[in-house]
Amino acid sequence: MAAGATFVVGAGFVASTDAAWAMETANLQPKTMATLIQMARDIYPHDHVGDAYYARAVKGYDTPEGAPDIEAGIAALDAAAQGKGFADYLSMGWERDRVDILRGMEDSAFFQQIRGGLVTGLYNQKEVWPLFGYEGESFTQGGYIDRGFDDIDWL
């Protein structure tokens, strides 16, 4: 039941309220990007992963070709939130409320596009790997055999 992330949205940029990161938007509205970041966090919630990684994961949607579909998808997300009595998706303070909205649209092409893109957009960032205990590929280091793959001490 974590509260949503808080963003500063300005003309052409989105930033975190703790000033840890900021990003410019070229084709998407800054509020759309902030909503997309929150949506990404709600789809793949990891409290120990900072918003900057989620922002990097969805930055690829800020293209002239993709912007209209993303804007329309976020508008649908906001409309669903408004149907539940909220001003928009970002104003929904409880994660469970936002997840209910996402479950209602999980079969949509928009949701599937974002969810699918996050698999690689979020988890292919080398900076995120240590947060999950992943050391990266092993081929260049001689494989897993001599690198402790069998050092399980809990069996």
Side-chain angles (χ1 to χ4, degrees), residues 6 25 33 38 56 59 65 91 93 118 143 145:
T6 310
T25 59
M33 183 59 77
Q38 183 61 61
R56 212 175 295 153
K59 179 66 175 160
E65 311 81 44
S91 68
L118 285 170
I145 298 294

Side-chain angles (χ1 to χ4, degrees), residues 20-79:
W21 62 270
M23 70 185 300
E24 291 184 18
T25 59
N27 302 286
L28 293 173
Q29 297 296 317
K31 185 175 180 288
T32 299
M33 183 59 77
T35 304
L36 198 55
I37 295 166
Q38 183 61 61
M39 180 185 178
R41 181 168 277 291
D42 291 338
I43 292 173
Y44 292 110
H46 300 290
D47 292 338
H48 65 287
V49 176
D51 288 335
Y53 299 112
Y54 287 94
R56 212 175 295 153
V58 297
K59 179 66 175 160
Y61 294 112
D62 188 21
T63 65
E65 311 81 44
D69 290 338
I70 298 299
E71 292 286 352
I74 295 299
L77 197 61
D78 285 342

Side-chain angles (χ1 to χ4, degrees), residues 49-59 117-132 134:
V49 176
D51 288 335
Y53 299 112
Y54 287 94
R56 212 175 295 153
V58 297
K59 179 66 175 160
L118 285 170
V119 171
T120 54
L122 180 61
Y123 299 114
N124 278 1
Q125 296 179 51
K126 288 184 179 183
E127 298 84 9
V128 172
W129 295 351
L131 300 175
F132 295 105
Y134 178 59

